[in-house]
Amino acid sequence: QVQLVESGGGSVQAGGSLRLACAASRYAYSSSCMGWFRQAPGKEREGVAAIKSDGSTSYADSVKGRFTISKDNAKDTLYLQMYNLKPEDTAVYYCAADRRPWVGCHPPRPSYEYGGQGTQVTVSS
C-alpha cells in the first residue's frame, strides 16, 4: 500500500529555512525514484528535486544550491531541506514516488506514479 505523508511546511520570511519530511510506507519508500514537486496558485506543477534508488539526486535550476533532498533509510522518510527561501518558493509541496524503473528519475518531474496530500510553504518578503 502506498502512503506518503508530508510535514514541516509553514510560513517563513525570505532568507529563512524549512525542512519538509515525508513519511512513507515501505512499499512507497522502496520506489526506484522519489521526489518533491510543487504547485503555486495559478502556476503549473514544477519538479523540485528527485532522488533515485542509487542515491543520485537532481534539482530544478530554480532551487539548485538552496535545497537538498535526502532519505533516511532507518525511518523510511524522505526530506527536503530548504535554505535561503524566496517568495517565489511559495507553493504547496508534494512528496512523490514512482516504482516504474523505466521512467526516468532525473531531472525532477512534475508528476509521479504516487503523491502525497501536500504541505503548504509560504515565504514572505
Side-chain angles (χ1 to χ4, degrees), residues 56-95:
S56 60
T57 59
S58 61
Y59 299 90
D61 288 342
S62 58
V63 306
K64 202 170 291 184
R66 300 188 297 120
F67 290 11
T68 301
I69 188 171
S70 63
K71 297 173 72 176
D72 185 334
N73 294 332
K75 298 181 179 180
D76 289 353
T77 299
L78 179 72
Y79 296 100
L80 185 68
Q81 178 68 57
M82 305 184 292
Y83 295 105
N84 190 22
L85 283 160
K86 303 176 180 181
E88 51 264 41
D89 294 320
T90 295
V92 178
Y93 284 71
Y94 298 87
C95 169

PDB file of all heavy atoms in Angstrom, residues 56-95:
ATOM      1  N   SER A  56      21.541   8.903  -6.396  1.00  0.00           N
ATOM      2  CA  SER A  56      21.808  10.088  -7.201  1.00  0.00           C
ATOM      3  C   SER A  56      20.664  11.085  -7.053  1.00  0.00           C
ATOM      4  O   SER A  56      19.510  10.683  -6.855  1.00  0.00           O
ATOM      5  CB  SER A  56      22.006   9.710  -8.673  1.00  0.00           C
ATOM      6  OG  SER A  56      20.847   9.069  -9.174  1.00  0.00           O
ATOM      7  N   THR A  57      20.991  12.352  -7.126  1.00  0.00           N
ATOM      8  CA  THR A  57      20.000  13.404  -6.914  1.00  0.00           C
ATOM      9  C   THR A  57      20.024  14.406  -8.064  1.00  0.00           C
ATOM     10  O   THR A  57      21.022  14.526  -8.796  1.00  0.00           O
ATOM     11  CB  THR A  57      20.260  14.153  -5.600  1.00  0.00           C
ATOM     12  OG1 THR A  57      21.567  14.730  -5.638  1.00  0.00           O
ATOM     13  CG2 THR A  57      20.162  13.221  -4.404  1.00  0.00           C
ATOM     14  N   SER A  58      18.941  15.129  -8.193  1.00  0.00           N
ATOM     15  CA  SER A  58      18.865  16.197  -9.181  1.00  0.00           C
ATOM     16  C   SER A  58      17.927  17.272  -8.667  1.00  0.00           C
ATOM     17  O   SER A  58      17.063  16.996  -7.823  1.00  0.00           O
ATOM     18  CB  SER A  58      18.407  15.672 -10.540  1.00  0.00           C
ATOM     19  OG  SER A  58      17.113  15.111 -10.457  1.00  0.00           O
ATOM     20  N   TYR A  59      18.101  18.471  -9.192  1.00  0.00           N
ATOM     21  CA  TYR A  59      17.334  19.615  -8.722  1.00  0.00           C
ATOM     22  C   TYR A  59      16.911  20.501  -9.888  1.00  0.00           C
ATOM     23  O   TYR A  59      17.601  20.585 -10.911  1.00  0.00           O
ATOM     24  CB  TYR A  59      18.190  20.461  -7.755  1.00  0.00           C
ATOM     25  CG  TYR A  59      18.631  19.705  -6.535  1.00  0.00           C
ATOM     26  CD1 TYR A  59      19.827  18.997  -6.521  1.00  0.00           C
ATOM     27  CD2 TYR A  59      17.831  19.673  -5.391  1.00  0.00           C
ATOM     28  CE1 TYR A  59      20.227  18.276  -5.399  1.00  0.00           C
ATOM     29  CE2 TYR A  59      18.221  18.957  -4.271  1.00  0.00           C
ATOM     30  CZ  TYR A  59      19.420  18.262  -4.290  1.00  0.00           C
ATOM     31  OH  TYR A  59      19.798  17.555  -3.176  1.00  0.00           O
ATOM     32  N   ALA A  60      15.802  21.173  -9.680  1.00  0.00           N
ATOM     33  CA  ALA A  60      15.409  22.200 -10.625  1.00  0.00           C
ATOM     34  C   ALA A  60      16.409  23.341 -10.527  1.00  0.00           C
ATOM     35  O   ALA A  60      16.951  23.623  -9.446  1.00  0.00           O
ATOM     36  CB  ALA A  60      14.004  22.689 -10.301  1.00  0.00           C
ATOM     37  N   ASP A  61      16.637  24.012 -11.637  1.00  0.00           N
ATOM     38  CA  ASP A  61      17.584  25.137 -11.633  1.00  0.00           C
ATOM     39  C   ASP A  61      17.181  26.196 -10.624  1.00  0.00           C
ATOM     40  O   ASP A  61      18.041  26.848 -10.024  1.00  0.00           O
ATOM     41  CB  ASP A  61      17.673  25.743 -13.028  1.00  0.00           C
ATOM     42  CG  ASP A  61      18.404  24.847 -14.017  1.00  0.00           C
ATOM     43  OD1 ASP A  61      19.132  23.934 -13.572  1.00  0.00           O
ATOM     44  OD2 ASP A  61      18.247  25.071 -15.227  1.00  0.00           O
ATOM     45  N   SER A  62      15.895  26.359 -10.423  1.00  0.00           N
ATOM     46  CA  SER A  62      15.389  27.411  -9.541  1.00  0.00           C
ATOM     47  C   SER A  62      15.737  27.175  -8.072  1.00  0.00           C
ATOM     48  O   SER A  62      15.677  28.108  -7.265  1.00  0.00           O
ATOM     49  CB  SER A  62      13.876  27.549  -9.695  1.00  0.00           C
ATOM     50  OG  SER A  62      13.230  26.319  -9.403  1.00  0.00           O
ATOM     51  N   VAL A  63      16.083  25.940  -7.707  1.00  0.00           N
ATOM     52  CA  VAL A  63      16.367  25.645  -6.294  1.00  0.00           C
ATOM     53  C   VAL A  63      17.773  25.111  -6.089  1.00  0.00           C
ATOM     54  O   VAL A  63      18.195  24.894  -4.937  1.00  0.00           O
ATOM     55  CB  VAL A  63      15.355  24.631  -5.720  1.00  0.00           C
ATOM     56  CG1 VAL A  63      13.930  25.113  -5.953  1.00  0.00           C
ATOM     57  CG2 VAL A  63      15.560  23.242  -6.304  1.00  0.00           C
ATOM     58  N   LYS A  64      18.498  24.909  -7.162  1.00  0.00           N
ATOM     59  CA  LYS A  64      19.838  24.328  -7.064  1.00  0.00           C
ATOM     60  C   LYS A  64      20.720  25.198  -6.162  1.00  0.00           C
ATOM     61  O   LYS A  64      20.751  26.416  -6.290  1.00  0.00           O
ATOM     62  CB  LYS A  64      20.430  24.208  -8.460  1.00  0.00           C
ATOM     63  CG  LYS A  64      21.528  23.181  -8.599  1.00  0.00           C
ATOM     64  CD  LYS A  64      21.877  22.964 -10.067  1.00  0.00           C
ATOM     65  CE  LYS A  64      20.757  22.274 -10.804  1.00  0.00           C
ATOM     66  NZ  LYS A  64      21.118  21.978 -12.218  1.00  0.00           N
ATOM     67  N   GLY A  65      21.405  24.555  -5.244  1.00  0.00           N
ATOM     68  CA  GLY A  65      22.261  25.273  -4.311  1.00  0.00           C
ATOM     69  C   GLY A  65      21.552  25.742  -3.063  1.00  0.00           C
ATOM     70  O   GLY A  65      22.201  26.181  -2.105  1.00  0.00           O
ATOM     71  N   ARG A  66      20.225  25.660  -3.044  1.00  0.00           N
ATOM     72  CA  ARG A  66      19.449  26.100  -1.873  1.00  0.00           C
ATOM     73  C   ARG A  66      18.686  24.948  -1.222  1.00  0.00           C
ATOM     74  O   ARG A  66      18.431  24.978  -0.020  1.00  0.00           O
ATOM     75  CB  ARG A  66      18.455  27.190  -2.276  1.00  0.00           C
ATOM     76  CG  ARG A  66      19.101  28.428  -2.856  1.00  0.00           C
ATOM     77  CD  ARG A  66      18.077  29.542  -3.058  1.00  0.00           C
ATOM     78  NE  ARG A  66      17.031  29.185  -4.017  1.00  0.00           N
ATOM     79  CZ  ARG A  66      15.730  29.134  -3.716  1.00  0.00           C
ATOM     80  NH1 ARG A  66      15.312  29.424  -2.501  1.00  0.00           N
ATOM     81  NH2 ARG A  66      14.846  28.819  -4.660  1.00  0.00           N
ATOM     82  N   PHE A  67      18.299  23.958  -2.003  1.00  0.00           N
ATOM     83  CA  PHE A  67      17.518  22.831  -1.494  1.00  0.00           C
ATOM     84  C   PHE A  67      18.362  21.564  -1.540  1.00  0.00           C
ATOM     85  O   PHE A  67      19.199  21.385  -2.441  1.00  0.00           O
ATOM     86  CB  PHE A  67      16.272  22.599  -2.354  1.00  0.00           C
ATOM     87  CG  PHE A  67      15.206  23.650  -2.230  1.00  0.00           C
ATOM     88  CD1 PHE A  67      15.421  24.864  -1.586  1.00  0.00           C
ATOM     89  CD2 PHE A  67      13.952  23.418  -2.788  1.00  0.00           C
ATOM     90  CE1 PHE A  67      14.436  25.823  -1.480  1.00  0.00           C
ATOM     91  CE2 PHE A  67      12.939  24.374  -2.695  1.00  0.00           C
ATOM     92  CZ  PHE A  67      13.200  25.577  -2.053  1.00  0.00           C
ATOM     93  N   THR A  68      18.114  20.666  -0.583  1.00  0.00           N
ATOM     94  CA  THR A  68      18.786  19.378  -0.558  1.00  0.00           C
ATOM     95  C   THR A  68      17.772  18.277  -0.282  1.00  0.00           C
ATOM     96  O   THR A  68      17.027  18.350   0.696  1.00  0.00           O
ATOM     97  CB  THR A  68      19.877  19.333   0.521  1.00  0.00           C
ATOM     98  OG1 THR A  68      20.840  20.368   0.282  1.00  0.00           O
ATOM     99  CG2 THR A  68      20.587  17.985   0.508  1.00  0.00           C
ATOM    100  N   ILE A  69      17.758  17.279  -1.141  1.00  0.00           N
ATOM    101  CA  ILE A  69      16.878  16.126  -0.943  1.00  0.00           C
ATOM    102  C   ILE A  69      17.701  14.993  -0.341  1.00  0.00           C
ATOM    103  O   ILE A  69      18.868  14.800  -0.685  1.00  0.00           O
ATOM    104  CB  ILE A  69      16.232  15.690  -2.281  1.00  0.00           C
ATOM    105  CG1 ILE A  69      15.167  14.617  -2.037  1.00  0.00           C
ATOM    106  CG2 ILE A  69      17.268  15.222  -3.286  1.00  0.00           C
ATOM    107  CD1 ILE A  69      14.329  14.301  -3.280  1.00  0.00           C
ATOM    108  N   SER A  70      17.081  14.270   0.598  1.00  0.00           N
ATOM    109  CA  SER A  70      17.793  13.169   1.226  1.00  0.00           C
ATOM    110  C   SER A  70      16.800  12.131   1.733  1.00  0.00           C
ATOM    111  O   SER A  70      15.593  12.393   1.798  1.00  0.00           O
ATOM    112  CB  SER A  70      18.662  13.672   2.381  1.00  0.00           C
ATOM    113  OG  SER A  70      17.863  14.246   3.396  1.00  0.00           O
ATOM    114  N   LYS A  71      17.318  10.974   2.071  1.00  0.00           N
ATOM    115  CA  LYS A  71      16.487   9.881   2.573  1.00  0.00           C
ATOM    116  C   LYS A  71      17.092   9.337   3.862  1.00  0.00           C
ATOM    117  O   LYS A  71      18.315   9.287   4.011  1.00  0.00           O
ATOM    118  CB  LYS A  71      16.398   8.753   1.541  1.00  0.00           C
ATOM    119  CG  LYS A  71      15.742   9.143   0.244  1.00  0.00           C
ATOM    120  CD  LYS A  71      15.846   8.027  -0.796  1.00  0.00           C
ATOM    121  CE  LYS A  71      14.941   6.879  -0.456  1.00  0.00           C
ATOM    122  NZ  LYS A  71      14.966   5.830  -1.506  1.00  0.00           N
ATOM    123  N   ASP A  72      16.235   8.928   4.774  1.00  0.00           N
ATOM    124  CA  ASP A  72      16.659   8.247   5.993  1.00  0.00           C
ATOM    125  C   ASP A  72      16.110   6.835   5.918  1.00  0.00           C
ATOM    126  O   ASP A  72      14.916   6.606   6.158  1.00  0.00           O
ATOM    127  CB  ASP A  72      16.142   8.982   7.228  1.00  0.00           C
ATOM    128  CG  ASP A  72      16.673   8.374   8.520  1.00  0.00           C
ATOM    129  OD1 ASP A  72      16.996   7.165   8.532  1.00  0.00           O
ATOM    130  OD2 ASP A  72      16.747   9.104   9.518  1.00  0.00           O
ATOM    131  N   ASN A  73      16.972   5.890   5.567  1.00  0.00           N
ATOM    132  CA  ASN A  73      16.517   4.519   5.357  1.00  0.00           C
ATOM    133  C   ASN A  73      16.027   3.858   6.650  1.00  0.00           C
ATOM    134  O   ASN A  73      15.215   2.936   6.609  1.00  0.00           O
ATOM    135  CB  ASN A  73      17.638   3.692   4.749  1.00  0.00           C
ATOM    136  CG  ASN A  73      17.997   4.160   3.348  1.00  0.00           C
ATOM    137  OD1 ASN A  73      17.164   4.702   2.633  1.00  0.00           O
ATOM    138  ND2 ASN A  73      19.250   3.973   2.970  1.00  0.00           N
ATOM    139  N   ALA A  74      16.512   4.329   7.778  1.00  0.00           N
ATOM    140  CA  ALA A  74      16.080   3.750   9.053  1.00  0.00           C
ATOM    141  C   ALA A  74      14.656   4.157   9.399  1.00  0.00           C
ATOM    142  O   ALA A  74      13.978   3.468  10.171  1.00  0.00           O
ATOM    143  CB  ALA A  74      17.027   4.174  10.159  1.00  0.00           C
ATOM    144  N   LYS A  75      14.220   5.274   8.826  1.00  0.00           N
ATOM    145  CA  LYS A  75      12.888   5.794   9.147  1.00  0.00           C
ATOM    146  C   LYS A  75      11.937   5.775   7.957  1.00  0.00           C
ATOM    147  O   LYS A  75      10.801   6.233   8.086  1.00  0.00           O
ATOM    148  CB  LYS A  75      13.018   7.233   9.661  1.00  0.00           C
ATOM    149  CG  LYS A  75      13.819   7.383  10.938  1.00  0.00           C
ATOM    150  CD  LYS A  75      13.874   8.842  11.376  1.00  0.00           C
ATOM    151  CE  LYS A  75      14.652   8.997  12.674  1.00  0.00           C
ATOM    152  NZ  LYS A  75      14.726  10.412  13.114  1.00  0.00           N
ATOM    153  N   ASP A  76      12.395   5.293   6.817  1.00  0.00           N
ATOM    154  CA  ASP A  76      11.568   5.323   5.595  1.00  0.00           C
ATOM    155  C   ASP A  76      11.011   6.721   5.366  1.00  0.00           C
ATOM    156  O   ASP A  76       9.811   6.905   5.102  1.00  0.00           O
ATOM    157  CB  ASP A  76      10.415   4.308   5.681  1.00  0.00           C
ATOM    158  CG  ASP A  76      10.896   2.871   5.578  1.00  0.00           C
ATOM    159  OD1 ASP A  76      12.096   2.664   5.317  1.00  0.00           O
ATOM    160  OD2 ASP A  76      10.067   1.961   5.762  1.00  0.00           O
ATOM    161  N   THR A  77      11.875   7.689   5.478  1.00  0.00           N
ATOM    162  CA  THR A  77      11.457   9.081   5.384  1.00  0.00           C
ATOM    163  C   THR A  77      12.292   9.827   4.353  1.00  0.00           C
ATOM    164  O   THR A  77      13.519   9.678   4.296  1.00  0.00           O
ATOM    165  CB  THR A  77      11.565   9.774   6.746  1.00  0.00           C
ATOM    166  OG1 THR A  77      10.709   9.098   7.679  1.00  0.00           O
ATOM    167  CG2 THR A  77      11.136  11.231   6.659  1.00  0.00           C
ATOM    168  N   LEU A  78      11.611  10.618   3.555  1.00  0.00           N
ATOM    169  CA  LEU A  78      12.235  11.477   2.560  1.00  0.00           C
ATOM    170  C   LEU A  78      12.226  12.907   3.095  1.00  0.00           C
ATOM    171  O   LEU A  78      11.250  13.324   3.716  1.00  0.00           O
ATOM    172  CB  LEU A  78      11.447  11.411   1.249  1.00  0.00           C
ATOM    173  CG  LEU A  78      11.930  12.259   0.075  1.00  0.00           C
ATOM    174  CD1 LEU A  78      13.205  11.672  -0.511  1.00  0.00           C
ATOM    175  CD2 LEU A  78      10.840  12.341  -0.982  1.00  0.00           C
ATOM    176  N   TYR A  79      13.297  13.636   2.850  1.00  0.00           N
ATOM    177  CA  TYR A  79      13.398  15.005   3.337  1.00  0.00           C
ATOM    178  C   TYR A  79      13.672  15.970   2.194  1.00  0.00           C
ATOM    179  O   TYR A  79      14.239  15.603   1.164  1.00  0.00           O
ATOM    180  CB  TYR A  79      14.536  15.140   4.355  1.00  0.00           C
ATOM    181  CG  TYR A  79      14.338  14.342   5.620  1.00  0.00           C
ATOM    182  CD1 TYR A  79      14.975  13.110   5.787  1.00  0.00           C
ATOM    183  CD2 TYR A  79      13.511  14.810   6.640  1.00  0.00           C
ATOM    184  CE1 TYR A  79      14.797  12.370   6.948  1.00  0.00           C
ATOM    185  CE2 TYR A  79      13.334  14.075   7.795  1.00  0.00           C
ATOM    186  CZ  TYR A  79      13.986  12.853   7.941  1.00  0.00           C
ATOM    187  OH  TYR A  79      13.788  12.129   9.086  1.00  0.00           O
ATOM    188  N   LEU A  80      13.285  17.221   2.440  1.00  0.00           N
ATOM    189  CA  LEU A  80      13.688  18.316   1.569  1.00  0.00           C
ATOM    190  C   LEU A  80      14.102  19.460   2.485  1.00  0.00           C
ATOM    191  O   LEU A  80      13.261  20.085   3.109  1.00  0.00           O
ATOM    192  CB  LEU A  80      12.562  18.751   0.640  1.00  0.00           C
ATOM    193  CG  LEU A  80      12.958  19.817  -0.379  1.00  0.00           C
ATOM    194  CD1 LEU A  80      13.949  19.242  -1.397  1.00  0.00           C
ATOM    195  CD2 LEU A  80      11.735  20.375  -1.102  1.00  0.00           C
ATOM    196  N   GLN A  81      15.390  19.683   2.566  1.00  0.00           N
ATOM    197  CA  GLN A  81      15.912  20.801   3.343  1.00  0.00           C
ATOM    198  C   GLN A  81      15.979  22.013   2.437  1.00  0.00           C
ATOM    199  O   GLN A  81      16.596  21.953   1.367  1.00  0.00           O
ATOM    200  CB  GLN A  81      17.307  20.465   3.885  1.00  0.00           C
ATOM    201  CG  GLN A  81      17.954  21.592   4.661  1.00  0.00           C
ATOM    202  CD  GLN A  81      17.258  21.872   5.977  1.00  0.00           C
ATOM    203  OE1 GLN A  81      17.118  20.994   6.815  1.00  0.00           O
ATOM    204  NE2 GLN A  81      16.829  23.120   6.160  1.00  0.00           N
ATOM    205  N   MET A  82      15.359  23.092   2.887  1.00  0.00           N
ATOM    206  CA  MET A  82      15.282  24.297   2.065  1.00  0.00           C
ATOM    207  C   MET A  82      15.936  25.456   2.799  1.00  0.00           C
ATOM    208  O   MET A  82      15.546  25.779   3.933  1.00  0.00           O
ATOM    209  CB  MET A  82      13.816  24.620   1.758  1.00  0.00           C
ATOM    210  CG  MET A  82      13.072  23.458   1.106  1.00  0.00           C
ATOM    211  SD  MET A  82      11.379  23.858   0.639  1.00  0.00           S
ATOM    212  CE  MET A  82      10.639  24.062   2.256  1.00  0.00           C
ATOM    213  N   TYR A  83      16.917  26.054   2.171  1.00  0.00           N
ATOM    214  CA  TYR A  83      17.615  27.205   2.722  1.00  0.00           C
ATOM    215  C   TYR A  83      17.369  28.428   1.836  1.00  0.00           C
ATOM    216  O   TYR A  83      16.999  28.304   0.669  1.00  0.00           O
ATOM    217  CB  TYR A  83      19.128  26.947   2.769  1.00  0.00           C
ATOM    218  CG  TYR A  83      19.562  25.851   3.690  1.00  0.00           C
ATOM    219  CD1 TYR A  83      19.961  24.613   3.185  1.00  0.00           C
ATOM    220  CD2 TYR A  83      19.598  26.035   5.071  1.00  0.00           C
ATOM    221  CE1 TYR A  83      20.376  23.591   4.025  1.00  0.00           C
ATOM    222  CE2 TYR A  83      20.014  25.016   5.921  1.00  0.00           C
ATOM    223  CZ  TYR A  83      20.398  23.804   5.385  1.00  0.00           C
ATOM    224  OH  TYR A  83      20.804  22.797   6.234  1.00  0.00           O
ATOM    225  N   ASN A  84      17.632  29.596   2.403  1.00  0.00           N
ATOM    226  CA  ASN A  84      17.537  30.852   1.657  1.00  0.00           C
ATOM    227  C   ASN A  84      16.245  30.919   0.846  1.00  0.00           C
ATOM    228  O   ASN A  84      16.262  31.169  -0.363  1.00  0.00           O
ATOM    229  CB  ASN A  84      18.752  31.005   0.734  1.00  0.00           C
ATOM    230  CG  ASN A  84      18.842  32.384   0.117  1.00  0.00           C
ATOM    231  OD1 ASN A  84      18.284  33.348   0.630  1.00  0.00           O
ATOM    232  ND2 ASN A  84      19.534  32.473  -1.010  1.00  0.00           N
ATOM    233  N   LEU A  85      15.144  30.687   1.518  1.00  0.00           N
ATOM    234  CA  LEU A  85      13.858  30.659   0.836  1.00  0.00           C
ATOM    235  C   LEU A  85      13.493  32.023   0.281  1.00  0.00           C
ATOM    236  O   LEU A  85      13.830  33.071   0.865  1.00  0.00           O
ATOM    237  CB  LEU A  85      12.772  30.171   1.793  1.00  0.00           C
ATOM    238  CG  LEU A  85      12.801  28.651   2.011  1.00  0.00           C
ATOM    239  CD1 LEU A  85      12.075  28.267   3.296  1.00  0.00           C
ATOM    240  CD2 LEU A  85      12.201  27.931   0.818  1.00  0.00           C
ATOM    241  N   LYS A  86      12.817  31.987  -0.860  1.00  0.00           N
ATOM    242  CA  LYS A  86      12.414  33.200  -1.561  1.00  0.00           C
ATOM    243  C   LYS A  86      10.894  33.222  -1.700  1.00  0.00           C
ATOM    244  O   LYS A  86      10.263  32.153  -1.687  1.00  0.00           O
ATOM    245  CB  LYS A  86      13.049  33.229  -2.951  1.00  0.00           C
ATOM    246  CG  LYS A  86      14.567  33.128  -2.934  1.00  0.00           C
ATOM    247  CD  LYS A  86      15.124  33.068  -4.351  1.00  0.00           C
ATOM    248  CE  LYS A  86      16.645  32.972  -4.334  1.00  0.00           C
ATOM    249  NZ  LYS A  86      17.194  32.938  -5.717  1.00  0.00           N
ATOM    250  N   PRO A  87      10.295  34.400  -1.856  1.00  0.00           N
ATOM    251  CA  PRO A  87       8.837  34.453  -2.029  1.00  0.00           C
ATOM    252  C   PRO A  87       8.353  33.569  -3.178  1.00  0.00           C
ATOM    253  O   PRO A  87       7.268  32.990  -3.104  1.00  0.00           O
ATOM    254  CB  PRO A  87       8.584  35.928  -2.297  1.00  0.00           C
ATOM    255  CG  PRO A  87       9.679  36.630  -1.562  1.00  0.00           C
ATOM    256  CD  PRO A  87      10.879  35.751  -1.725  1.00  0.00           C
ATOM    257  N   GLU A  88       9.143  33.435  -4.218  1.00  0.00           N
ATOM    258  CA  GLU A  88       8.736  32.602  -5.347  1.00  0.00           C
ATOM    259  C   GLU A  88       8.764  31.104  -5.040  1.00  0.00           C
ATOM    260  O   GLU A  88       8.334  30.297  -5.865  1.00  0.00           O
ATOM    261  CB  GLU A  88       9.601  32.893  -6.578  1.00  0.00           C
ATOM    262  CG  GLU A  88      11.090  32.841  -6.343  1.00  0.00           C
ATOM    263  CD  GLU A  88      11.694  34.209  -6.073  1.00  0.00           C
ATOM    264  OE1 GLU A  88      11.066  35.009  -5.337  1.00  0.00           O
ATOM    265  OE2 GLU A  88      12.807  34.474  -6.590  1.00  0.00           O
ATOM    266  N   ASP A  89       9.256  30.736  -3.867  1.00  0.00           N
ATOM    267  CA  ASP A  89       9.193  29.332  -3.439  1.00  0.00           C
ATOM    268  C   ASP A  89       7.843  28.991  -2.808  1.00  0.00           C
ATOM    269  O   ASP A  89       7.578  27.824  -2.499  1.00  0.00           O
ATOM    270  CB  ASP A  89      10.300  29.035  -2.421  1.00  0.00           C
ATOM    271  CG  ASP A  89      11.692  29.126  -3.021  1.00  0.00           C
ATOM    272  OD1 ASP A  89      11.878  28.674  -4.160  1.00  0.00           O
ATOM    273  OD2 ASP A  89      12.586  29.653  -2.327  1.00  0.00           O
ATOM    274  N   THR A  90       7.014  29.995  -2.610  1.00  0.00           N
ATOM    275  CA  THR A  90       5.695  29.772  -2.024  1.00  0.00           C
ATOM    276  C   THR A  90       4.874  28.837  -2.907  1.00  0.00           C
ATOM    277  O   THR A  90       4.695  29.094  -4.095  1.00  0.00           O
ATOM    278  CB  THR A  90       4.953  31.109  -1.845  1.00  0.00           C
ATOM    279  OG1 THR A  90       5.663  31.897  -0.887  1.00  0.00           O
ATOM    280  CG2 THR A  90       3.530  30.867  -1.363  1.00  0.00           C
ATOM    281  N   ALA A  91       4.398  27.759  -2.308  1.00  0.00           N
ATOM    282  CA  ALA A  91       3.657  26.742  -3.061  1.00  0.00           C
ATOM    283  C   ALA A  91       3.234  25.635  -2.105  1.00  0.00           C
ATOM    284  O   ALA A  91       3.673  25.594  -0.946  1.00  0.00           O
ATOM    285  CB  ALA A  91       4.519  26.157  -4.177  1.00  0.00           C
ATOM    286  N   VAL A  92       2.403  24.759  -2.612  1.00  0.00           N
ATOM    287  CA  VAL A  92       2.148  23.500  -1.919  1.00  0.00           C
ATOM    288  C   VAL A  92       3.183  22.501  -2.419  1.00  0.00           C
ATOM    289  O   VAL A  92       3.350  22.331  -3.632  1.00  0.00           O
ATOM    290  CB  VAL A  92       0.723  22.987  -2.185  1.00  0.00           C
ATOM    291  CG1 VAL A  92       0.517  21.640  -1.474  1.00  0.00           C
ATOM    292  CG2 VAL A  92      -0.315  23.995  -1.709  1.00  0.00           C
ATOM    293  N   TYR A  93       3.864  21.876  -1.488  1.00  0.00           N
ATOM    294  CA  TYR A  93       4.916  20.927  -1.824  1.00  0.00           C
ATOM    295  C   TYR A  93       4.398  19.503  -1.616  1.00  0.00           C
ATOM    296  O   TYR A  93       3.830  19.184  -0.568  1.00  0.00           O
ATOM    297  CB  TYR A  93       6.142  21.171  -0.958  1.00  0.00           C
ATOM    298  CG  TYR A  93       6.933  22.374  -1.393  1.00  0.00           C
ATOM    299  CD1 TYR A  93       6.436  23.659  -1.210  1.00  0.00           C
ATOM    300  CD2 TYR A  93       8.172  22.230  -2.017  1.00  0.00           C
ATOM    301  CE1 TYR A  93       7.149  24.772  -1.627  1.00  0.00           C
ATOM    302  CE2 TYR A  93       8.899  23.344  -2.427  1.00  0.00           C
ATOM    303  CZ  TYR A  93       8.378  24.592  -2.235  1.00  0.00           C
ATOM    304  OH  TYR A  93       9.094  25.695  -2.654  1.00  0.00           O
ATOM    305  N   TYR A  94       4.648  18.679  -2.603  1.00  0.00           N
ATOM    306  CA  TYR A  94       4.173  17.304  -2.585  1.00  0.00           C
ATOM    307  C   TYR A  94       5.343  16.336  -2.612  1.00  0.00           C
ATOM    308  O   TYR A  94       6.280  16.497  -3.404  1.00  0.00           O
ATOM    309  CB  TYR A  94       3.280  17.021  -3.795  1.00  0.00           C
ATOM    310  CG  TYR A  94       2.030  17.859  -3.857  1.00  0.00           C
ATOM    311  CD1 TYR A  94       2.030  19.113  -4.458  1.00  0.00           C
ATOM    312  CD2 TYR A  94       0.826  17.388  -3.313  1.00  0.00           C
ATOM    313  CE1 TYR A  94       0.883  19.890  -4.521  1.00  0.00           C
ATOM    314  CE2 TYR A  94      -0.325  18.154  -3.370  1.00  0.00           C
ATOM    315  CZ  TYR A  94      -0.286  19.401  -3.976  1.00  0.00           C
ATOM    316  OH  TYR A  94      -1.434  20.157  -4.032  1.00  0.00           O
ATOM    317  N   CYS A  95       5.249  15.332  -1.785  1.00  0.00           N
ATOM    318  CA  CYS A  95       6.176  14.209  -1.822  1.00  0.00           C
ATOM    319  C   CYS A  95       5.636  13.201  -2.828  1.00  0.00           C
ATOM    320  O   CYS A  95       4.415  13.025  -2.934  1.00  0.00           O
ATOM    321  CB  CYS A  95       6.236  13.595  -0.426  1.00  0.00           C
ATOM    322  SG  CYS A  95       7.076  12.021  -0.305  1.00  0.00           S
TER     323      CYS A  95
END
